[in-house]
Amino acid sequence: MAKKQLVQIKVNGRNREAMVEPRLLLVHFIRGIPGLTGTHVGCDTTHCGACTVLLDGKTVKSCTMFAVQADGCELLTVEGLMQNGKLHPLQEGFKEEHGLQCGFCTPGMLISSYALLSKNENPSEEEIRWGISGNLCRCTGYQNIVKAVQYAAGKMEQGGKDDLPNIA
Amino acid sequence: MGHSIKRKEDLRFIQGKGNYVDDVNLPDMVYGHMVRSPYAHARLKGINTENAKQLPGVLTVITGEDLAKANLAWMPTLFFDKQMVLATGKVLFQSQEVAFVVAEDPYIAADAAELVEVDYEELPVLVDPHKALDPDAPILRDDREDKSNHIFHWEVGDRAATDKVFEDAEVKAKVHAVFQRCHPAPLETCGCVADHNAATGRLTIYLTSQAPHAHRTLFAIVGGIPENNIRVISPDIGGGFGNKVPIYPGYVCAVVASLTLGRPVKWIETRSENLQSTGFARDYHMTAELAATQDGKIQAMRVKTLADHGAFNAAAQPTKFPAGLFSICTGAYDYPTAFCEVDGVYTNKAPGGIAYRCSFRVTEAAYLIERAVDVLAQELKTDPVELRRKNFISPEKFPYKSPLGWSYDSGDYDAAMKVALDTIGYDALRKEQQEKRAKGELMGIGISSFVEVVGAGPAHTFDIAGIKMFDSCEIRIHPTGKAMCRMGTKSQGQGHETTYAQIVAQELGIPAADVTVEEGDTDTAPYGLGTYASRSTPVSGAATAMAARKIRDKAKKIAAHLLECSEEDLDWEPGKFFVKGAPSKAKTIQDIAFAAYTNMPEGMEAGLEAVDYYDPPNLTFPFGTYICVVDIDKGTGEVKVRRFVAVDDCGNIINPMIVEGQIHGGLTEGLAIAFMQQIGYDENGNVQGGTFMDYLLPTAVETPHWETGKTCTPSPHHPFGAKGVGESPNVGSPAAFVNAVVDALSHLGVKHIDMPIAPWKVWNILKEKGAVN
Amino acid sequence: MAMRIEKTFQVKEPIDQVWSLLSDPRRVATCVPGAKITEQVDEKTYKGTISVKVGPSATDYKGELEILRLDAENHEIEILGKGQDVRGRGSASMKMTGKLRSLEDGGTEVTSVSEVNVVGILAQMGSRVISEVSNIMFGQFVKNFQAQLQQPADAATGEAKPINAASLAWAAAKGAFHRQS
């Protein structure tokens, strides 16, 4: 067994650290150390995207990264979207537009949509579909997820960027 | 009811605060990892667990031999067979469970699993079901008295009469259609946390289960544990689609490990394990024939099917139906004669099959008849819509007795067809197709007018492993007028926390926001058979209405007492009783609830609650017409779905938004099945669709925009006329997709293409017909 | 799954010299990366092992090699090799026919046709990985064979090292992308 090493990651604005084996997957770090179980494991071949998190502003599939690779980085997970008790417009959108059924893909979808909207404020339907093409869903057929993202884009346009949590 | 209220359960999911089984973490919890067979058929010569046991952090390694000492190496399946929990003697499919390692940490458990050494002697493999009954086929099941690979023969209908009709028929059409082995692949895999608490003597199992009560009873019977000491909790489930109906060896091993170690044991399977060893679906090899008159009147149907069940018959089906409700295969059409026979066989593949987002085997049936009707249309050189409309069962004929014994409750098939035709603009599309054909372009229109049978089911005919298929609801109204309801079903995303609340709101006038719905904890919820086969609304939804009406009866007595009048003087509108002719003299349900605890009539028991166990008088028969338009790229063989219109009739709807979401999801599954998915096996029994690399799920890019519509033909026997709808899209859509592709190529002489219709298949056909770009 | 692999290569050495190498299983085995003959059971059967690494997954097969046909006149050999993973994770078998042909320039053309069958976890990846791995192993075999030919017959070497895992995986991945179908 390889020697454990110290890993320090800022998760949703809070510093977290632990001694971990180099082979510990980032998704297991997130679910185990800060105990944030919103990020899910849905497959073992990097296809489903249920484990998607934002790492230093970029979406990554946390099942395909080691925790040690994220040492010194900043992470946003689904639990970090709500600010001061207020739902993020994306979260609101998913609720208003019925963008979820079983909820298992939802955290990954929210993070991917969040990343999409931060680069493209007013995406077309096609751009949204491409933007979430790394996230699989078995329940919704994606149609209402697209509507949820459009809802959020509209809301954010009105409300300005203050709604976005302050993560790099 | 009838309102698209937003879902109450969403709040926790959008915050990432769902509670799925893998989110359950108990103090002192340890982890299980399964060692699996690489061979499809082999004798188990020996297992060496010493190296694995020596690894620091490993607590135990359980083998089939260990389980055999407690008589647990085998367990009964849901269908009169037994299956190995851990292999003893031999292994029968690749990925079969061979040993269970338990360690302090899941990574150590995986390391230890690699250290388990198993000695196998390979045996000849059987993967082709058509060869299963050959005289020289390897016999797979040494444990059975009957040394053959034949599991069952089932038939229904009138063989002699049907054969006679075919002998004299003017026109005959035949199609051999394979519904390939596929897998529900819910995004959350199966798993459990088994926690035997030695201090209390209770075993709590957090379980990905669509039927928690049935599972509790089975664990009690199989494990010899008193049922009152078992608590099954199905928390949030990340999709089920039938995959979470069976009991899997991993669950049993986790329970045994917890009992042995006295610590909670978590076992969560990986995606590969899920695809390769858990409940697969379909694998029906079907031949259908239709006999008709020259002017297109269907007279009879004859069906012969070979069912591949894998190594164990672990079908999750009502016991009197080895082929499920497959006999619905006569479809939406009116003719008097039919015969159907099904033979089930064993092969060296994962055991099953389960009802994947359908009522048992109904998808196979709907696919078969809708393909057969199109083949008949081609034979008669008539329009497939015309042929269907000519043969639809007309509304006056309901309840309709089908030639294979079903009593369809209600239907207006032509109405749904008409809406679909108008929405898609059928005539214009046919014109367009003609023009395109003249230019050598490929475009197709596929119709599927399906009828399905759901809501299992009446006690006189239906039971799963002996337990009758009623379902239940318990409602309790608190003094301040809020309600708590528990049902015997278990949502895996269908929105029960919202829809059941809407039923209560409709029946009692208590706002849905004031109604809490709970499912899945066997300690508190009344007994039910769970959620699958679209049965929640028809059965448990009915129970909810009936329980609410019992409460209303008691409430009326209390109202009469409060208003100082007799019950006959009272009228009801949702939320209150009022004196006839004097509407201001009223008592709200909230007033009445308060009175039920503070001001009861003389001699009346306190409280305002009721429980109902509903035995449905019949099944329900949702139906619809789906129309699909495709364009085919001649250079690559790729099929693009240009438009898809789905018109569904599920009777009265509780929440249109939720129904629409279900349709979108089911159509996407149908798309995947038609074009992308197969769990294949090579001649050595190696699984070819064992990971998401090969078993493809559509992303948002492949999934087209779905157009939905509806008609409403209420079920005459259901308390509020509803039928159930979650599965219709998976049932009706494969035929629509396949019919569209065949239609695009029919002028080249193509009659049928088996799913999945991947680009290379189409391209090969185009090449063969000389039509490639 | 069954895969058919056909390979042809040329060597400078004359046909008889090549035949003396090809018809000697012990010496040929040393050319196969990761292979080792451990004992001779009878005149045409041998026991041996082979280690194959695909990416991080290492498999040690233990099995038998049988010479089905040895035709010195026509310079043809047919061998059947069968092995099981020692830890019980699968099996593989290969039936290979090797044929020699004299070339005009005095050299020899070696043609081999193999039918490979793999059972187990490795086979689930489908032919995409197995054929690439076979290609790479064969490439190494050819190099080793050519090197052996240049050495005197009695200089029996030990065993050829198994292919480096990383290079095998990387080359397989590259090959999978660039391969012509």
Side-chain angles (χ1 to χ4, degrees):
Chain A
M1 202 193 306
K3 207 166 154 221
K4 289 193 173 173
Q5 41 188 98
L6 181 67
V7 148
Q8 290 164 313
I9 308 177
K10 197 176 206 179
V11 184
N12 299 333
R14 268 177 73 176
N15 292 320
R16 302 283 191 173
E17 66 178 54
M19 294 295 288
V20 303
E21 285 184 56
R23 64 175 178 168
L24 182 74
L25 298 176
L26 182 58
V27 65
H28 290 143
F29 176 93
I30 295 168
R31 290 176 60 82
I33 310 295
L36 297 169
T37 57
T39 304
H40 298 140
V41 175
C43 76
D44 50 9
T45 47
T46 319
H47 280 88
C48 77
C51 64
T52 309
V53 296
L54 208 67
L55 185 74
D56 286 347
K58 287 215 178 95
T59 49
V60 296
K61 286 176 171 167
S62 59
C63 70
T64 313
M65 255 189 101
F66 295 116
V68 294
Q69 289 175 282
D71 187 26
C73 296
E74 284 195 37
L75 217 58
L76 175 70
T77 71
V78 63
E79 291 91 342
L81 284 177
M82 211 160 125
Q83 294 288 293
N84 302 319
K86 248 183 70 159
L87 288 175
H88 187 277
L90 272 168
Q91 292 171 305
E92 223 180 275
F94 271 72
K95 187 170 190 299
E96 290 299 311
E97 297 294 341
H98 190 39
L100 66 143
Q101 291 179 28
C102 81
F104 203 73
C105 75
T106 308
M109 285 288 181
L110 283 167
I111 296 293
S112 289
S113 315
Y114 176 91
L116 172 71
L117 291 181
S118 64
K119 283 190 293 241
N120 182 347
E121 281 171 17
N122 204 1
S124 65
E125 172 160 354
E126 200 184 334
E127 286 170 322
I128 295 175
R129 285 180 180 267
W130 276 101
I132 58 171
S133 61
N135 296 80
L136 296 176
C137 173
R138 294 294 276 155
C139 299
T140 68
Y142 307 101
Q143 201 153 312
N144 286 343
I145 294 180
V146 170
K147 283 163 80 179
V149 178
Q150 289 168 331
Y151 174 102
K155 201 110 201 278
M156 282 159 74
E157 209 176 4
Q158 295 167 11
K161 293 206 183 37
D162 306 333
D163 289 323
L164 289 171
N166 199 7
I167 297 289
Chain B
M1 292 207 308
H3 296 291
S4 290
I5 70 172
K6 309 298 177 221
R7 292 194 342 163
K8 304 162 94 209
E9 47 266 78
D10 287 354
L11 201 55
R12 61 184 184 275
F13 294 131
I14 56 183
Q15 294 178 66
K17 300 255 196 284
N19 190 29
Y20 302 93
V21 171
D22 195 16
D23 300 339
V24 173
N25 289 309
L26 301 177
D28 246 14
M29 191 170 75
V30 293
Y31 301 83
H33 193 106
M34 196 65 83
V35 176
R36 295 178 180 272
S37 166
Y39 297 109
H41 195 199
R43 213 159 283 294
L44 197 59
K45 304 258 288 290
I47 308 182
N48 182 359
T49 58
E50 280 320 302
N51 292 331
K53 284 184 173 148
Q54 304 293 344
L55 191 67
V58 172
L59 293 153
T60 186
V61 181
I62 305 174
T63 64
E65 217 179 280
D66 298 323
L67 289 182
K69 297 192 186 112
N71 221 2
L72 279 172
W74 289 78
M75 63 177 176
T77 67
L78 289 172
F79 209 86
F80 301 112
D81 196 357
K82 50 182 192 165
Q83 102 176 69
M84 286 187 244
V85 175
L86 289 176
T88 48
K90 62 194 305 213
V91 290
L92 286 164
F93 64 96
Q94 187 177 65
S95 202
Q96 183 179 344
E97 300 81 2
V98 170
F100 191 70
V101 175
V102 184
E104 298 280 355
D105 153 325
Y107 286 60
I108 297 176
D111 288 342
E114 293 278 301
L115 294 175
V116 174
E117 290 168 23
V118 190
D119 196 8
Y120 296 100
E121 182 194 307
E122 285 179 77
L123 295 169
V125 169
L126 174 68
V127 287
D128 184 351
H130 297 95
K131 298 214 170 82
L133 301 177
D134 286 355
D136 59 348
I139 300 303
L140 304 185
R141 299 287 300 275
D142 299 342
D143 60 287
R144 289 175 94 230
E145 248 189 73
D146 179 18
K147 301 280 183 263
S148 105
N149 295 322
H150 191 223
I151 312 176
F152 66 83
H153 172 83
W154 181 76
E155 53 180 67
V156 67
D158 190 334
R159 190 198 286 269
T162 306
D163 285 348
K164 184 82 182 49
V165 174
F166 272 89
E167 262 173 52
D168 303 334
E170 290 170 0
V171 181
K172 287 194 280 232
K174 184 174 185 171
V175 66
H176 181 70
V178 177
F179 207 125
Q180 79 278 30
R181 178 177 279 236
C182 47
H183 194 285
L187 203 61
E188 177 205 30
T189 60
C190 302
C192 67
V193 178
D195 179 22
H196 181 251
N197 185 330
T200 62
R202 294 201 90 206
L203 170 68
T204 304
I205 314 175
Y206 294 86
L207 192 61
T208 49
S209 166
Q210 294 177 234
H213 292 92
H215 285 165
R216 182 191 69 193
T217 305
L218 288 168
F219 275 117
I221 295 174
V222 173
I225 307 164
E227 198 173 357
N228 59 315
N229 278 341
I230 304 179
R231 178 182 186 188
V232 173
I233 302 177
S234 289
D236 292 321
I237 309 284
F241 312 119
N243 189 226
K244 293 168 178 165
V245 171
I247 291 190
Y248 295 116
Y251 303 154
V252 178
C253 290
V255 168
V256 169
S258 184
L259 286 163
T260 316
L261 298 170
R263 292 170 73 172
V265 178
K266 176 183 269 191
W267 172 74
I268 309 286
E269 60 172 6
T270 64
R271 176 59 60 186
S272 314
E273 293 176 294
N274 173 254
L275 291 172
Q276 293 174 30
S277 70
T278 65
F280 75 90
R282 319 284 188 256
D283 219 342
Y284 256 33
H285 305 251
M286 316 177 277
T287 306
E289 298 171 273
L290 290 175
T293 62
Q294 193 58 249
D295 63 330
K297 212 58 187 75
I298 302 174
Q299 298 167 298
M301 182 186 203
R302 188 162 56 189
V303 174
K304 192 164 155 71
T305 294
L306 183 64
D308 184 338
H309 279 264
F312 309 106
N313 186 356
Q317 262 152 200
T319 58
K320 295 189 181 59
F321 298 85
L325 311 184
F326 184 65
S327 51
I328 194 73
C329 58
T330 53
Y333 311 104
D334 191 0
Y335 50 93
T337 321
F339 177 72
C340 168
E341 55 182 332
V342 181
D343 284 279
V345 295
Y346 290 120
T347 57
N348 288 123
K349 303 178 186 170
I354 50 91
Y356 166 20
R357 197 161 187 164
C358 66
S359 191
F360 326 93
R361 299 296 181 182
V362 164
T363 330
E364 291 87 322
Y367 176 68
L368 187 64
I369 178 70
E370 287 306 293
R371 272 272 61 232
V373 168
D374 255 34
V375 171
L376 179 63
Q378 236 181 335
E379 193 67 40
L380 290 167
K381 298 194 182 15
T382 181
D383 179 280
V385 168
E386 289 296 311
L387 182 59
R388 285 175 167 82
R389 295 182 94 168
K390 185 174 241 169
N391 286 281
F392 275 154
I393 303 165
S394 57
E396 325 79 72
K397 286 216 157 178
F398 290 88
Y400 173 79
K401 193 93 202 296
S402 87
L404 294 179
W406 291 109
S407 177
Y408 295 18
D409 58 0
S410 66
D412 189 345
Y413 304 140
D414 206 66
M417 169 67 92
K418 199 161 178 311
V419 175
L421 293 172
D422 290 342
T423 311
I424 205 143
Y426 186 71
D427 294 332
L429 285 169
R430 281 292 176 204
K431 273 210 196 70
E432 185 196 340
Q433 185 184 43
Q434 277 201 2
E435 291 160 14
K436 283 206 146 87
R437 268 189 187 164
K439 290 189 281 182
E441 287 168 32
L442 301 171
M443 165 199 164
I445 308 162
I447 325 280
S448 171
S449 286
F450 68 95
V451 65
E452 53 164 354
V453 50
V454 308
H460 52 70
T461 316
F462 294 89
D463 66 273
I464 299 242
I467 308 172
K468 299 292 182 190
M469 296 185 75
F470 54 86
D471 225 287
S472 60
C473 170
E474 177 189 89
I475 307 176
R476 184 171 298 163
I477 319 254
H478 303 322
T480 54
K482 318 288 189 214
M484 166 63 108
C485 312
R486 297 187 170 109
M487 289 77 179
T489 49
K490 178 63 216 169
S491 175
Q492 317 109 40
Q494 295 91 332
H496 290 178
E497 287 170 45
T498 308
T499 52
Y500 282 139
Q502 287 181 261
I503 300 175
V504 175
Q506 175 90 4
E507 295 283 335
L508 290 177
I510 298 175
D514 291 348
V515 179
T516 301
V517 172
E518 270 185 11
E519 290 173 307
D521 184 339
T522 60
D523 264 8
T524 52
Y527 206 101
L529 268 284
T531 295
Y532 43 84
S534 291
R535 62 187 297 278
S536 298
T537 299
V539 193
S540 204
T544 306
M546 302 310 275
R549 290 172 196 181
K550 286 182 191 172
I551 288 180
R552 213 158 76 207
D553 287 344
K554 182 169 185 177
K556 196 174 194 188
K557 294 186 164 59
I558 299 177
H561 162 74
L562 294 174
L563 291 167
E564 293 172 334
C565 61
S566 79
E567 286 185 61
E568 293 78 55
D569 297 333
L570 291 174
D571 257 347
W572 163 263
E573 73 181 36
K576 63 170 172 274
F577 281 105
F578 58 93
V579 177
K580 289 182 188 161
S584 58
K585 288 194 76 191
K587 285 294 170 191
T588 64
I589 190 75
Q590 287 80 8
D591 298 330
I592 294 167
F594 195 72
Y597 297 86
T598 61
N599 183 4
M600 298 82 77
E602 180 92 26
M604 180 189 271
E605 263 181 54
L608 192 60
E609 61 189 67
V611 69
D612 190 85
Y613 288 84
Y614 188 75
D615 180 17
N618 191 6
L619 299 136
T620 60
F621 296 77
F623 60 93
T625 291
Y626 294 165
I627 306 187
C628 174
V629 182
V630 299
D631 297 291
I632 301 183
D633 182 326
K634 289 206 321 209
T636 61
E638 192 190 346
V639 177
K640 274 228 157 61
V641 173
R642 190 205 298 179
R643 279 187 77 188
F644 195 105
V645 165
V647 176
D648 279 280
D649 191 318
C650 58
N652 288 327
I653 290 179
I654 305 169
N655 186 322
M657 174 188 83
I658 289 184
V659 169
E660 190 193 59
Q662 292 277 295
I663 306 288
H664 292 167
L667 292 177
T668 308
E669 288 182 334
L671 176 88
I673 290 170
F675 295 111
M676 298 158 91
Q677 293 178 340
Q678 179 164 22
I679 304 273
Y681 288 78
D682 73 10
E683 71 277 12
N684 294 123
N686 292 310
V687 180
Q688 300 297 293
T691 69
F692 280 167
M693 286 194 301
D694 295 301
Y695 192 73
L696 304 179
L697 302 191
T699 69
V701 169
E702 289 85 35
T703 310
H705 184 87
W706 308 112
E707 298 168 65
T708 57
K710 64 173 184 279
T711 56
C712 179
T713 314
S715 171
H717 66 75
H718 187 275
F720 50 89
K723 287 192 178 184
V725 72
E727 302 173 319
S728 309
N730 195 322
V731 171
S733 65
F737 293 117
V738 177
N739 284 347
V741 178
V742 174
D743 183 69
L745 304 171
S746 61
H747 62 299
L748 301 171
V750 174
K751 288 224 181 114
H752 179 69
I753 309 174
D754 272 329
M755 306 184 284
I757 301 185
W760 62 264
K761 257 192 204 174
V762 177
W763 191 88
N764 276 340
I765 292 172
L766 293 177
K767 186 154 181 279
E768 192 203 331
K769 304 284 183 193
V772 163
N773 236 2
Chain C
M1 63 182 352
M3 285 184 50
R4 196 185 148 82
I5 304 168
E6 247 183 77
K7 300 279 177 202
T8 306
F9 65 100
Q10 281 99 20
V11 294
K12 296 194 306 279
E13 286 73 8
I15 196 168
D16 289 323
Q17 187 183 347
V18 181
W19 176 249
S20 82
L21 172 56
L22 187 68
S23 56
D24 182 348
R26 278 192 189 272
R27 287 182 70 206
V28 172
T30 66
C31 302
V32 180
K36 189 165 66 163
I37 297 258
T38 51
E39 78 177 77
Q40 180 162 10
V41 176
D42 58 44
E43 64 176 40
K44 52 186 190 95
T45 316
Y46 299 79
K47 283 207 165 109
T49 60
I50 178 167
S51 293
V52 184
K53 278 174 119 168
V54 178
S57 162
T59 320
D60 294 308
Y61 291 99
K62 194 164 77 170
E64 270 186 13
L65 191 88
E66 193 187 327
I67 303 177
L68 297 174
R69 192 166 55 89
L70 201 62
D71 184 347
E73 215 184 294
N74 292 308
H75 302 108
E76 268 186 41
I77 181 172
E78 201 177 317
I79 332 178
L80 177 62
K82 284 197 301 207
Q84 267 208 12
D85 174 321
V86 301
R87 274 182 289 279
R89 273 197 291 290
S91 70
S93 74
M94 179 181 83
K95 180 131 88 104
M96 189 193 90
T97 311
K99 247 200 301 240
L100 298 180
R101 191 170 70 89
S102 258
L103 295 172
E104 274 163 20
D105 64 359
T108 313
E109 180 186 77
V110 185
T111 305
S112 88
V113 177
S114 307
E115 266 168 39
V116 178
N117 234 336
V118 181
V119 178
I121 313 306
L122 221 59
Q124 289 178 359
M125 304 289 161
S127 57
R128 62 166 83 81
V129 175
I130 293 177
S131 70
E132 290 313 312
V133 172
S134 311
N135 279 336
I136 293 161
M137 285 183 77
F138 197 86
Q140 190 64 45
F141 170 83
V142 171
K143 283 207 187 82
N144 292 343
F145 194 82
Q146 285 168 329
Q148 269 277 307
L149 280 172
Q150 278 150 22
Q151 279 178 359
D154 56 344
T157 51
E159 60 197 76
K161 286 203 186 27
I163 292 259
N164 173 274
S167 71
L168 197 67
W170 173 233
K174 274 201 313 195
F177 282 117
H178 294 140
R179 174 171 61 130
Q180 275 113 18
S181 316

